[in-house]
Amino acid sequence: MRLQLASWPEVQEYLTDSTGIMMPIGSTEQHGPTGLIGTDAITAEEISWRAGELVNALVGPTISVGMAHHHLEFPGTMTLRPTTLVALIRDYIESLASHGFRRFLFVNGHGGNLATVGAAFYEIYQEFRQAHGADAPALRCRVLNWWDGSKVRALSDDLFGSRLGNHATPSEVSVAAFAYPGYVKHAELDPPVAPTGRFYDARDYRRRFPDGRIGSDPSMATPAHGERLLVAAAADLAEAYRQFMNED
Ligand code: NI
């Protein structure tokens, strides 16, 4: 059930049975010549919505803009600064915790968010400890990348092998294509498999990876692959959520 599509009595009823919630978090950033700018938010929310149905979990509103400073040389990219994202996550969790939510599983669609999301969790724990002392509610916050589950990883290896790459991957582009088949885009990719390597700031990124991709060949992406990847990732996520909710 999506929080945005629920009524308050439904949320009140849900809380008598569970204090868990999934929180999709993505990014609004370039994904190469063919990938949608919203890929990371779309993938995270689609997989969360599907997994939420499997385990009857509430899914919060998607955090659609994340840490994308290094993509700012490409038109359309938006970023928060780390302090803004930390503040936003604190406010989201404090709002939900005030109603009784206690376990927050962040479903991440963008690797660049991880450090800042982790920093937000530390801030929240510290803030609750200072505010409530020994009576602080036992909050638990976790973040996982949707592509790290064992089923989706195996499928993605099988479908794309070494052409998966690290950014604008055929895996994420496929999931977004399945979600929005009317927005599949085509372009000549040169070279077919993008270069890999380290980068520093936004200008350095664009210099090393001129079309925005890193190590990937998104021409392999199809909506049909996207459906299979979505199903696999949702199954992985459902399992991770069950474990998270059942932990001592
Ligand atoms: Ni991405």
Side-chain angles (χ1 to χ4, degrees), residues 29 31 40 109 167 172:
E29 63 182 47
H31 271 77
D40 294 349
H167 185 64
E172 60 183 344

Side-chain angles (χ1 to χ4, degrees), residues 105-216:
L105 184 58
F106 281 69
V107 181
N108 185 38
H110 173 55
N113 289 336
L114 283 176
T116 308
V117 173
F121 295 166
Y122 278 112
E123 290 267 356
I124 289 155
Y125 292 148
Q126 177 67 2
E127 196 166 288
F128 271 72
R129 191 176 138 79
Q130 282 174 341
H132 304 283
D135 299 327
L139 294 188
R140 292 196 180 178
C141 306
R142 252 197 81 191
V143 59
L144 53 79
N145 298 321
W146 66 257
W147 59 87
D148 276 341
S150 59
K151 290 186 185 69
V152 71
R153 189 169 278 279
L155 177 59
S156 172
D157 283 350
D158 195 38
L159 290 171
F160 309 121
S162 64
R163 299 168 91 90
L164 177 66
N166 303 105
H167 185 64
T169 68
S171 173
E172 60 183 344
V173 172
S174 291
V175 173
F178 174 66
Y180 293 93
Y183 294 85
V184 172
K185 300 170 200 302
H186 301 280
E188 183 84 7
L189 298 176
D190 180 28
V193 179
T196 58
R198 182 188 295 281
F199 60 86
Y200 291 90
D201 65 359
R203 195 176 311 170
D204 188 48
Y205 184 108
R206 177 112 199 204
R207 184 174 69 82
R208 292 171 195 266
F209 312 109
D211 75 3
R213 299 173 294 144
I214 303 180
S216 65

Side-chain angles (χ1 to χ4, degrees), residues 88-109:
L88 185 146
I89 291 173
R90 280 170 55 194
D91 287 352
Y92 277 28
I93 290 182
E94 279 180 31
S95 303
L96 292 165
S98 76
H99 308 304
F101 287 94
R102 293 292 179 265
R103 297 197 183 195
F104 301 85
L105 184 58
F106 281 69
V107 181
N108 185 38

Side-chain angles (χ1 to χ4, degrees), residues 24-26 39-49 62 107-109 146:
I25 177 167
T39 297
D40 294 349
I42 291 165
T43 52
E45 69 189 12
E46 291 284 338
I47 291 160
S48 299
W49 295 341
T62 305
V107 181
N108 185 38
W146 66 257

